[in-house]
Amino acid sequence: GQNIDQPTEMTATEGAIVQINCTYQTSGFNGLFWYQQHAGEAPTFLSYNVLDGLEEKGRFSSFLSRSKGYSYLLLKELQMKDSASYLCAVLDSNYQLIWGAGTKLIIKP
Amino acid sequence: GAVVSQHPSRVICKSGTSVKIECRSLDFQATTMFWYRQFPKQSLMLMATSNEGSKATYEQGVEKDKFLINHASLTLSTLTVTSAHPEDSSFYICSARDPEPENEQFFGPGTRLTVL
């Protein structure tokens, strides 16, 4: 079966760095997405990785290792507005998105 | 990035009525659109995949006669919740796939349906 695993909840301090991990087992791989979702809102795109390595975009970076079926989202200089759920999703061989359950990130002052 | 609109953003209706939700890709043509439902504090649940010009593909457990999907054009898909009941109250989100360059899915802002 297809499976995406990510922690249910994480807590971090304002100004700090947090890493949200995602492991996947899917039928085929055509890329991995990270989305941010605030409560009551639709997800918004953060990053896309299809090749191994680190993609940096401002305060957010995303890493992919295809051989390990592993990705992480790194958030630096955390701000209170970063409190949200972070969803990991993999595009499988049929170009369907397989979603993780999301990681709720709580930022404390 | 590409823009997907969804209308209405919020709807409150009486039990037994039907509600139509529109999803539009504003600046790209989407051959495939997706409809999700999300209950409070839960992850997205894919309901169906909507392909332009053909019948939608429904996920297991989703009643196709209750959730009617019409993908009339490359920029418009509609979801009609027929004879809505309180248990259908949820956050409905559509997304549209832009095949170029990365098959990214862009999400609409969502529709919050409350059935009284």
Side-chain angles (χ1 to χ4, degrees):
Chain A
Q2 309 206 89
N3 196 49
I4 309 275
D5 285 318
Q6 52 182 130
T8 305
E9 186 174 296
M10 298 182 71
T11 302
T13 305
E14 189 176 17
I17 299 173
V18 71
Q19 177 175 312
I20 303 174
N21 296 323
C22 171
T23 58
Y24 63 89
Q25 295 169 313
T26 57
S27 55
F29 179 84
N30 281 298
L32 185 144
F33 295 88
W34 283 96
Y35 285 86
Q36 180 191 60
Q37 186 179 26
H38 285 100
E41 298 180 13
T44 56
F45 171 79
L46 289 179
S47 68
Y48 170 75
N49 294 67
V50 67
L51 299 176
D52 290 350
L54 186 68
E55 296 273 347
E56 297 187 69
K57 194 181 292 185
R59 294 190 298 114
F60 293 5
S61 302
S62 57
F63 171 84
L64 174 67
S65 169
R66 288 172 296 172
S67 62
K68 295 181 180 178
Y70 167 70
S71 172
Y72 67 72
L73 179 70
L74 191 71
L75 294 79
K76 303 176 184 176
E77 301 170 16
L78 286 170
Q79 301 174 10
M80 297 303 293
K81 66 178 183 179
D82 297 329
S83 292
S85 287
Y86 291 86
L87 308 174
C88 171
V90 171
L91 204 60
D92 70 7
S93 56
N94 295 317
Y95 288 94
Q96 301 293 340
L97 266 183
I98 311 300
W99 290 91
T103 298
K104 182 179 180 181
L105 178 63
I106 300 169
I107 309 296
K108 295 185 175 180
Chain B
V3 177
V4 175
S5 71
Q6 202 170 327
H7 178 80
S9 59
R10 187 181 295 267
V11 59
I12 301 172
C13 68
K14 292 183 179 180
S15 184
T17 60
S18 294
V19 175
K20 180 186 281 189
I21 304 170
E22 291 188 350
C23 177
R24 294 180 185 272
S25 57
L26 297 185
D27 50 3
F28 68 99
Q29 293 184 332
T31 54
T32 305
M33 290 185 173
F34 303 87
W35 287 96
Y36 293 88
R37 181 165 54 182
Q38 187 175 37
F39 292 104
K41 299 183 180 180
Q42 295 187 24
S43 188
L44 297 170
M45 280 180 45
L46 180 64
M47 298 175 66
T49 302
S50 167
N51 296 295
E52 188 267 339
S54 64
K55 291 184 179 180
T57 303
Y58 289 81
E59 296 299 300
Q60 193 171 10
V62 178
E63 299 175 58
K64 60 182 179 181
D65 294 331
K66 180 169 182 64
F67 299 99
L68 301 178
I69 292 173
N70 181 22
H71 196 149
S73 74
L74 287 172
T75 60
L76 173 65
S77 176
T78 60
L79 167 68
T80 302
V81 183
T82 61
S83 187
H85 288 94
E87 57 265 31
D88 298 324
S89 298
S90 187
F91 192 42
Y92 291 87
I93 308 172
C94 76
S95 69
R97 177 191 289 159
D98 186 353
E100 298 294 335
E102 297 173 340
N103 275 300
E104 183 183 340
Q105 281 189 22
F106 296 93
F107 285 86
T111 297
R112 184 158 302 283
L113 171 63
T114 303
V115 184
L116 303 176

PDB file of all heavy atoms in Angstrom, chain B residues 37-68:
ATOM      1  N   ARG B  37     -12.601  16.795   0.840  1.00  0.00           N
ATOM      2  CA  ARG B  37     -13.413  17.176   1.986  1.00  0.00           C
ATOM      3  C   ARG B  37     -12.505  17.123   3.207  1.00  0.00           C
ATOM      4  O   ARG B  37     -11.633  16.242   3.309  1.00  0.00           O
ATOM      5  CB  ARG B  37     -14.585  16.201   2.157  1.00  0.00           C
ATOM      6  CG  ARG B  37     -15.503  16.507   3.310  1.00  0.00           C
ATOM      7  CD  ARG B  37     -16.803  15.755   3.200  1.00  0.00           C
ATOM      8  NE  ARG B  37     -16.616  14.325   3.057  1.00  0.00           N
ATOM      9  CZ  ARG B  37     -17.598  13.450   2.904  1.00  0.00           C
ATOM     10  NH1 ARG B  37     -18.841  13.862   2.865  1.00  0.00           N
ATOM     11  NH2 ARG B  37     -17.356  12.169   2.782  1.00  0.00           N
ATOM     12  N   GLN B  38     -12.702  18.057   4.097  1.00  0.00           N
ATOM     13  CA  GLN B  38     -11.869  18.085   5.291  1.00  0.00           C
ATOM     14  C   GLN B  38     -12.732  18.376   6.506  1.00  0.00           C
ATOM     15  O   GLN B  38     -13.371  19.430   6.584  1.00  0.00           O
ATOM     16  CB  GLN B  38     -10.769  19.131   5.172  1.00  0.00           C
ATOM     17  CG  GLN B  38      -9.769  19.094   6.321  1.00  0.00           C
ATOM     18  CD  GLN B  38      -8.635  20.069   6.114  1.00  0.00           C
ATOM     19  OE1 GLN B  38      -8.843  21.159   5.596  1.00  0.00           O
ATOM     20  NE2 GLN B  38      -7.430  19.695   6.522  1.00  0.00           N
ATOM     21  N   PHE B  39     -12.745  17.435   7.434  1.00  0.00           N
ATOM     22  CA  PHE B  39     -13.440  17.634   8.687  1.00  0.00           C
ATOM     23  C   PHE B  39     -12.484  18.289   9.675  1.00  0.00           C
ATOM     24  O   PHE B  39     -11.264  18.223   9.507  1.00  0.00           O
ATOM     25  CB  PHE B  39     -13.971  16.299   9.218  1.00  0.00           C
ATOM     26  CG  PHE B  39     -15.067  15.720   8.368  1.00  0.00           C
ATOM     27  CD1 PHE B  39     -14.812  14.649   7.521  1.00  0.00           C
ATOM     28  CD2 PHE B  39     -16.343  16.257   8.386  1.00  0.00           C
ATOM     29  CE1 PHE B  39     -15.802  14.125   6.721  1.00  0.00           C
ATOM     30  CE2 PHE B  39     -17.350  15.736   7.582  1.00  0.00           C
ATOM     31  CZ  PHE B  39     -17.078  14.668   6.742  1.00  0.00           C
ATOM     32  N   PRO B  40     -13.033  18.948  10.702  1.00  0.00           N
ATOM     33  CA  PRO B  40     -12.185  19.674  11.651  1.00  0.00           C
ATOM     34  C   PRO B  40     -11.056  18.823  12.203  1.00  0.00           C
ATOM     35  O   PRO B  40     -11.264  17.677  12.599  1.00  0.00           O
ATOM     36  CB  PRO B  40     -13.169  20.097  12.745  1.00  0.00           C
ATOM     37  CG  PRO B  40     -14.475  20.175  12.046  1.00  0.00           C
ATOM     38  CD  PRO B  40     -14.460  19.091  11.015  1.00  0.00           C
ATOM     39  N   LYS B  41      -9.880  19.379  12.184  1.00  0.00           N
ATOM     40  CA  LYS B  41      -8.677  18.769  12.752  1.00  0.00           C
ATOM     41  C   LYS B  41      -8.294  17.467  12.064  1.00  0.00           C
ATOM     42  O   LYS B  41      -7.570  16.654  12.637  1.00  0.00           O
ATOM     43  CB  LYS B  41      -8.841  18.532  14.262  1.00  0.00           C
ATOM     44  CG  LYS B  41      -9.074  19.815  15.045  1.00  0.00           C
ATOM     45  CD  LYS B  41      -9.158  19.564  16.534  1.00  0.00           C
ATOM     46  CE  LYS B  41      -9.386  20.866  17.284  1.00  0.00           C
ATOM     47  NZ  LYS B  41      -9.484  20.660  18.739  1.00  0.00           N
ATOM     48  N   GLN B  42      -8.755  17.269  10.852  1.00  0.00           N
ATOM     49  CA  GLN B  42      -8.387  16.077  10.088  1.00  0.00           C
ATOM     50  C   GLN B  42      -7.729  16.483   8.781  1.00  0.00           C
ATOM     51  O   GLN B  42      -7.838  17.626   8.333  1.00  0.00           O
ATOM     52  CB  GLN B  42      -9.613  15.205   9.813  1.00  0.00           C
ATOM     53  CG  GLN B  42     -10.235  14.616  11.052  1.00  0.00           C
ATOM     54  CD  GLN B  42     -11.344  13.628  10.727  1.00  0.00           C
ATOM     55  OE1 GLN B  42     -11.367  13.048   9.644  1.00  0.00           O
ATOM     56  NE2 GLN B  42     -12.258  13.443  11.661  1.00  0.00           N
ATOM     57  N   SER B  43      -7.036  15.540   8.172  1.00  0.00           N
ATOM     58  CA  SER B  43      -6.356  15.835   6.923  1.00  0.00           C
ATOM     59  C   SER B  43      -7.351  15.839   5.764  1.00  0.00           C
ATOM     60  O   SER B  43      -8.514  15.490   5.911  1.00  0.00           O
ATOM     61  CB  SER B  43      -5.259  14.808   6.671  1.00  0.00           C
ATOM     62  OG  SER B  43      -4.481  15.180   5.555  1.00  0.00           O
ATOM     63  N   LEU B  44      -6.854  16.270   4.630  1.00  0.00           N
ATOM     64  CA  LEU B  44      -7.682  16.269   3.426  1.00  0.00           C
ATOM     65  C   LEU B  44      -8.075  14.849   3.055  1.00  0.00           C
ATOM     66  O   LEU B  44      -7.269  13.935   3.123  1.00  0.00           O
ATOM     67  CB  LEU B  44      -6.909  16.877   2.268  1.00  0.00           C
ATOM     68  CG  LEU B  44      -6.488  18.341   2.404  1.00  0.00           C
ATOM     69  CD1 LEU B  44      -5.527  18.701   1.291  1.00  0.00           C
ATOM     70  CD2 LEU B  44      -7.685  19.248   2.370  1.00  0.00           C
ATOM     71  N   MET B  45      -9.324  14.684   2.612  1.00  0.00           N
ATOM     72  CA  MET B  45      -9.779  13.390   2.101  1.00  0.00           C
ATOM     73  C   MET B  45     -10.204  13.585   0.661  1.00  0.00           C
ATOM     74  O   MET B  45     -11.125  14.355   0.383  1.00  0.00           O
ATOM     75  CB  MET B  45     -10.962  12.880   2.917  1.00  0.00           C
ATOM     76  CG  MET B  45     -10.605  12.242   4.236  1.00  0.00           C
ATOM     77  SD  MET B  45     -12.074  11.694   5.101  1.00  0.00           S
ATOM     78  CE  MET B  45     -13.003  10.907   3.798  1.00  0.00           C
ATOM     79  N   LEU B  46      -9.536  12.899  -0.245  1.00  0.00           N
ATOM     80  CA  LEU B  46      -9.901  12.999  -1.644  1.00  0.00           C
ATOM     81  C   LEU B  46     -11.257  12.340  -1.858  1.00  0.00           C
ATOM     82  O   LEU B  46     -11.477  11.198  -1.479  1.00  0.00           O
ATOM     83  CB  LEU B  46      -8.842  12.319  -2.525  1.00  0.00           C
ATOM     84  CG  LEU B  46      -9.093  12.343  -4.028  1.00  0.00           C
ATOM     85  CD1 LEU B  46      -9.073  13.773  -4.561  1.00  0.00           C
ATOM     86  CD2 LEU B  46      -8.059  11.496  -4.757  1.00  0.00           C
ATOM     87  N   MET B  47     -12.166  13.095  -2.478  1.00  0.00           N
ATOM     88  CA  MET B  47     -13.494  12.564  -2.773  1.00  0.00           C
ATOM     89  C   MET B  47     -13.543  12.002  -4.192  1.00  0.00           C
ATOM     90  O   MET B  47     -14.059  10.908  -4.420  1.00  0.00           O
ATOM     91  CB  MET B  47     -14.549  13.653  -2.646  1.00  0.00           C
ATOM     92  CG  MET B  47     -14.677  14.242  -1.261  1.00  0.00           C
ATOM     93  SD  MET B  47     -15.842  15.606  -1.258  1.00  0.00           S
ATOM     94  CE  MET B  47     -17.372  14.773  -1.632  1.00  0.00           C
ATOM     95  N   ALA B  48     -13.030  12.793  -5.129  1.00  0.00           N
ATOM     96  CA  ALA B  48     -13.148  12.387  -6.528  1.00  0.00           C
ATOM     97  C   ALA B  48     -12.161  13.157  -7.380  1.00  0.00           C
ATOM     98  O   ALA B  48     -11.716  14.243  -7.014  1.00  0.00           O
ATOM     99  CB  ALA B  48     -14.560  12.625  -7.034  1.00  0.00           C
ATOM    100  N   THR B  49     -11.836  12.567  -8.500  1.00  0.00           N
ATOM    101  CA  THR B  49     -10.989  13.200  -9.501  1.00  0.00           C
ATOM    102  C   THR B  49     -11.863  13.509 -10.699  1.00  0.00           C
ATOM    103  O   THR B  49     -12.560  12.625 -11.222  1.00  0.00           O
ATOM    104  CB  THR B  49      -9.848  12.260  -9.912  1.00  0.00           C
ATOM    105  OG1 THR B  49      -9.090  11.926  -8.747  1.00  0.00           O
ATOM    106  CG2 THR B  49      -8.943  12.913 -10.933  1.00  0.00           C
ATOM    107  N   SER B  50     -11.807  14.761 -11.109  1.00  0.00           N
ATOM    108  CA  SER B  50     -12.682  15.239 -12.167  1.00  0.00           C
ATOM    109  C   SER B  50     -11.882  15.484 -13.435  1.00  0.00           C
ATOM    110  O   SER B  50     -10.954  16.270 -13.434  1.00  0.00           O
ATOM    111  CB  SER B  50     -13.341  16.542 -11.694  1.00  0.00           C
ATOM    112  OG  SER B  50     -13.971  17.230 -12.736  1.00  0.00           O
ATOM    113  N   ASN B  51     -12.228  14.794 -14.500  1.00  0.00           N
ATOM    114  CA  ASN B  51     -11.534  14.945 -15.771  1.00  0.00           C
ATOM    115  C   ASN B  51     -12.450  15.617 -16.786  1.00  0.00           C
ATOM    116  O   ASN B  51     -13.613  15.228 -16.936  1.00  0.00           O
ATOM    117  CB  ASN B  51     -11.093  13.589 -16.307  1.00  0.00           C
ATOM    118  CG  ASN B  51     -10.074  12.934 -15.396  1.00  0.00           C
ATOM    119  OD1 ASN B  51      -8.966  13.437 -15.230  1.00  0.00           O
ATOM    120  ND2 ASN B  51     -10.436  11.822 -14.788  1.00  0.00           N
ATOM    121  N   GLU B  52     -11.927  16.599 -17.465  1.00  0.00           N
ATOM    122  CA  GLU B  52     -12.710  17.336 -18.442  1.00  0.00           C
ATOM    123  C   GLU B  52     -13.206  16.420 -19.537  1.00  0.00           C
ATOM    124  O   GLU B  52     -12.428  15.665 -20.119  1.00  0.00           O
ATOM    125  CB  GLU B  52     -11.871  18.483 -19.025  1.00  0.00           C
ATOM    126  CG  GLU B  52     -12.652  19.445 -19.915  1.00  0.00           C
ATOM    127  CD  GLU B  52     -12.600  19.069 -21.382  1.00  0.00           C
ATOM    128  OE1 GLU B  52     -11.679  18.336 -21.783  1.00  0.00           O
ATOM    129  OE2 GLU B  52     -13.485  19.531 -22.132  1.00  0.00           O
ATOM    130  N   GLY B  53     -14.515  16.464 -19.774  1.00  0.00           N
ATOM    131  CA  GLY B  53     -15.101  15.702 -20.862  1.00  0.00           C
ATOM    132  C   GLY B  53     -15.397  14.250 -20.552  1.00  0.00           C
ATOM    133  O   GLY B  53     -15.858  13.513 -21.427  1.00  0.00           O
ATOM    134  N   SER B  54     -15.135  13.813 -19.337  1.00  0.00           N
ATOM    135  CA  SER B  54     -15.439  12.423 -18.992  1.00  0.00           C
ATOM    136  C   SER B  54     -15.994  12.355 -17.573  1.00  0.00           C
ATOM    137  O   SER B  54     -16.006  13.345 -16.850  1.00  0.00           O
ATOM    138  CB  SER B  54     -14.183  11.551 -19.120  1.00  0.00           C
ATOM    139  OG  SER B  54     -13.202  11.959 -18.192  1.00  0.00           O
ATOM    140  N   LYS B  55     -16.455  11.174 -17.206  1.00  0.00           N
ATOM    141  CA  LYS B  55     -17.046  11.019 -15.875  1.00  0.00           C
ATOM    142  C   LYS B  55     -15.971  11.083 -14.795  1.00  0.00           C
ATOM    143  O   LYS B  55     -14.846  10.639 -14.996  1.00  0.00           O
ATOM    144  CB  LYS B  55     -17.771   9.675 -15.787  1.00  0.00           C
ATOM    145  CG  LYS B  55     -19.024   9.585 -16.642  1.00  0.00           C
ATOM    146  CD  LYS B  55     -19.730   8.255 -16.433  1.00  0.00           C
ATOM    147  CE  LYS B  55     -20.996   8.186 -17.270  1.00  0.00           C
ATOM    148  NZ  LYS B  55     -21.703   6.889 -17.082  1.00  0.00           N
ATOM    149  N   ALA B  56     -16.379  11.596 -13.662  1.00  0.00           N
ATOM    150  CA  ALA B  56     -15.439  11.701 -12.542  1.00  0.00           C
ATOM    151  C   ALA B  56     -15.158  10.318 -11.964  1.00  0.00           C
ATOM    152  O   ALA B  56     -15.980   9.408 -12.036  1.00  0.00           O
ATOM    153  CB  ALA B  56     -16.022  12.614 -11.466  1.00  0.00           C
ATOM    154  N   THR B  57     -13.990  10.201 -11.379  1.00  0.00           N
ATOM    155  CA  THR B  57     -13.593   8.974 -10.686  1.00  0.00           C
ATOM    156  C   THR B  57     -13.729   9.199  -9.196  1.00  0.00           C
ATOM    157  O   THR B  57     -13.067  10.079  -8.635  1.00  0.00           O
ATOM    158  CB  THR B  57     -12.131   8.608 -11.023  1.00  0.00           C
ATOM    159  OG1 THR B  57     -11.993   8.484 -12.430  1.00  0.00           O
ATOM    160  CG2 THR B  57     -11.751   7.302 -10.335  1.00  0.00           C
ATOM    161  N   TYR B  58     -14.580   8.417  -8.546  1.00  0.00           N
ATOM    162  CA  TYR B  58     -14.865   8.613  -7.137  1.00  0.00           C
ATOM    163  C   TYR B  58     -14.024   7.665  -6.283  1.00  0.00           C
ATOM    164  O   TYR B  58     -13.784   6.513  -6.658  1.00  0.00           O
ATOM    165  CB  TYR B  58     -16.347   8.366  -6.858  1.00  0.00           C
ATOM    166  CG  TYR B  58     -17.248   9.440  -7.419  1.00  0.00           C
ATOM    167  CD1 TYR B  58     -17.616   9.444  -8.760  1.00  0.00           C
ATOM    168  CD2 TYR B  58     -17.718  10.469  -6.603  1.00  0.00           C
ATOM    169  CE1 TYR B  58     -18.419  10.441  -9.278  1.00  0.00           C
ATOM    170  CE2 TYR B  58     -18.540  11.466  -7.102  1.00  0.00           C
ATOM    171  CZ  TYR B  58     -18.883  11.442  -8.445  1.00  0.00           C
ATOM    172  OH  TYR B  58     -19.682  12.436  -8.950  1.00  0.00           O
ATOM    173  N   GLU B  59     -13.628   8.171  -5.128  1.00  0.00           N
ATOM    174  CA  GLU B  59     -12.904   7.339  -4.179  1.00  0.00           C
ATOM    175  C   GLU B  59     -13.882   6.385  -3.475  1.00  0.00           C
ATOM    176  O   GLU B  59     -15.100   6.641  -3.410  1.00  0.00           O
ATOM    177  CB  GLU B  59     -12.180   8.202  -3.145  1.00  0.00           C
ATOM    178  CG  GLU B  59     -11.100   9.074  -3.737  1.00  0.00           C
ATOM    179  CD  GLU B  59     -10.003   8.281  -4.408  1.00  0.00           C
ATOM    180  OE1 GLU B  59      -9.355   7.458  -3.710  1.00  0.00           O
ATOM    181  OE2 GLU B  59      -9.793   8.476  -5.625  1.00  0.00           O
ATOM    182  N   GLN B  60     -13.326   5.323  -2.964  1.00  0.00           N
ATOM    183  CA  GLN B  60     -14.156   4.334  -2.285  1.00  0.00           C
ATOM    184  C   GLN B  60     -14.901   4.966  -1.122  1.00  0.00           C
ATOM    185  O   GLN B  60     -14.314   5.720  -0.329  1.00  0.00           O
ATOM    186  CB  GLN B  60     -13.268   3.193  -1.768  1.00  0.00           C
ATOM    187  CG  GLN B  60     -14.027   1.970  -1.335  1.00  0.00           C
ATOM    188  CD  GLN B  60     -13.100   0.793  -1.033  1.00  0.00           C
ATOM    189  OE1 GLN B  60     -11.873   0.967  -0.979  1.00  0.00           O
ATOM    190  NE2 GLN B  60     -13.660  -0.370  -0.854  1.00  0.00           N
ATOM    191  N   GLY B  61     -16.182   4.675  -1.038  1.00  0.00           N
ATOM    192  CA  GLY B  61     -16.987   5.192   0.056  1.00  0.00           C
ATOM    193  C   GLY B  61     -17.674   6.509  -0.245  1.00  0.00           C
ATOM    194  O   GLY B  61     -18.476   6.982   0.558  1.00  0.00           O
ATOM    195  N   VAL B  62     -17.365   7.121  -1.378  1.00  0.00           N
ATOM    196  CA  VAL B  62     -18.004   8.385  -1.753  1.00  0.00           C
ATOM    197  C   VAL B  62     -19.145   8.092  -2.720  1.00  0.00           C
ATOM    198  O   VAL B  62     -18.942   7.467  -3.759  1.00  0.00           O
ATOM    199  CB  VAL B  62     -16.987   9.344  -2.403  1.00  0.00           C
ATOM    200  CG1 VAL B  62     -17.674  10.638  -2.828  1.00  0.00           C
ATOM    201  CG2 VAL B  62     -15.838   9.626  -1.455  1.00  0.00           C
ATOM    202  N   GLU B  63     -20.351   8.524  -2.360  1.00  0.00           N
ATOM    203  CA  GLU B  63     -21.531   8.229  -3.175  1.00  0.00           C
ATOM    204  C   GLU B  63     -21.592   9.161  -4.383  1.00  0.00           C
ATOM    205  O   GLU B  63     -21.794  10.372  -4.241  1.00  0.00           O
ATOM    206  CB  GLU B  63     -22.795   8.417  -2.336  1.00  0.00           C
ATOM    207  CG  GLU B  63     -22.886   7.501  -1.126  1.00  0.00           C
ATOM    208  CD  GLU B  63     -24.115   7.848  -0.299  1.00  0.00           C
ATOM    209  OE1 GLU B  63     -25.223   7.794  -0.869  1.00  0.00           O
ATOM    210  OE2 GLU B  63     -23.968   8.178   0.885  1.00  0.00           O
ATOM    211  N   LYS B  64     -21.480   8.601  -5.549  1.00  0.00           N
ATOM    212  CA  LYS B  64     -21.466   9.439  -6.753  1.00  0.00           C
ATOM    213  C   LYS B  64     -22.825  10.052  -7.052  1.00  0.00           C
ATOM    214  O   LYS B  64     -22.909  11.089  -7.726  1.00  0.00           O
ATOM    215  CB  LYS B  64     -20.959   8.651  -7.961  1.00  0.00           C
ATOM    216  CG  LYS B  64     -21.783   7.438  -8.318  1.00  0.00           C
ATOM    217  CD  LYS B  64     -21.151   6.720  -9.499  1.00  0.00           C
ATOM    218  CE  LYS B  64     -21.934   5.478  -9.886  1.00  0.00           C
ATOM    219  NZ  LYS B  64     -21.311   4.754 -11.029  1.00  0.00           N
ATOM    220  N   ASP B  65     -23.907   9.420  -6.574  1.00  0.00           N
ATOM    221  CA  ASP B  65     -25.236   9.997  -6.811  1.00  0.00           C
ATOM    222  C   ASP B  65     -25.540  11.123  -5.836  1.00  0.00           C
ATOM    223  O   ASP B  65     -26.466  11.905  -6.054  1.00  0.00           O
ATOM    224  CB  ASP B  65     -26.302   8.916  -6.683  1.00  0.00           C
ATOM    225  CG  ASP B  65     -26.190   7.873  -7.775  1.00  0.00           C
ATOM    226  OD1 ASP B  65     -25.712   8.227  -8.877  1.00  0.00           O
ATOM    227  OD2 ASP B  65     -26.549   6.710  -7.536  1.00  0.00           O
ATOM    228  N   LYS B  66     -24.775  11.181  -4.778  1.00  0.00           N
ATOM    229  CA  LYS B  66     -24.987  12.243  -3.798  1.00  0.00           C
ATOM    230  C   LYS B  66     -24.071  13.433  -4.098  1.00  0.00           C
ATOM    231  O   LYS B  66     -24.454  14.582  -3.928  1.00  0.00           O
ATOM    232  CB  LYS B  66     -24.704  11.737  -2.388  1.00  0.00           C
ATOM    233  CG  LYS B  66     -24.907  12.800  -1.326  1.00  0.00           C
ATOM    234  CD  LYS B  66     -24.873  12.210   0.052  1.00  0.00           C
ATOM    235  CE  LYS B  66     -25.132  13.296   1.075  1.00  0.00           C
ATOM    236  NZ  LYS B  66     -26.481  13.881   0.937  1.00  0.00           N
ATOM    237  N   PHE B  67     -22.875  13.140  -4.529  1.00  0.00           N
ATOM    238  CA  PHE B  67     -21.904  14.193  -4.844  1.00  0.00           C
ATOM    239  C   PHE B  67     -21.682  14.190  -6.352  1.00  0.00           C
ATOM    240  O   PHE B  67     -20.837  13.465  -6.873  1.00  0.00           O
ATOM    241  CB  PHE B  67     -20.595  13.947  -4.092  1.00  0.00           C
ATOM    242  CG  PHE B  67     -20.743  13.963  -2.596  1.00  0.00           C
ATOM    243  CD1 PHE B  67     -20.835  12.783  -1.875  1.00  0.00           C
ATOM    244  CD2 PHE B  67     -20.789  15.171  -1.903  1.00  0.00           C
ATOM    245  CE1 PHE B  67     -20.970  12.803  -0.491  1.00  0.00           C
ATOM    246  CE2 PHE B  67     -20.926  15.196  -0.521  1.00  0.00           C
ATOM    247  CZ  PHE B  67     -21.024  14.006   0.188  1.00  0.00           C
ATOM    248  N   LEU B  68     -22.471  15.024  -7.029  1.00  0.00           N
ATOM    249  CA  LEU B  68     -22.423  15.063  -8.492  1.00  0.00           C
ATOM    250  C   LEU B  68     -21.326  16.002  -8.951  1.00  0.00           C
ATOM    251  O   LEU B  68     -21.273  17.152  -8.533  1.00  0.00           O
ATOM    252  CB  LEU B  68     -23.777  15.531  -9.044  1.00  0.00           C
ATOM    253  CG  LEU B  68     -24.988  14.676  -8.661  1.00  0.00           C
ATOM    254  CD1 LEU B  68     -26.259  15.286  -9.236  1.00  0.00           C
ATOM    255  CD2 LEU B  68     -24.816  13.249  -9.149  1.00  0.00           C
TER     256      LEU B  68
END
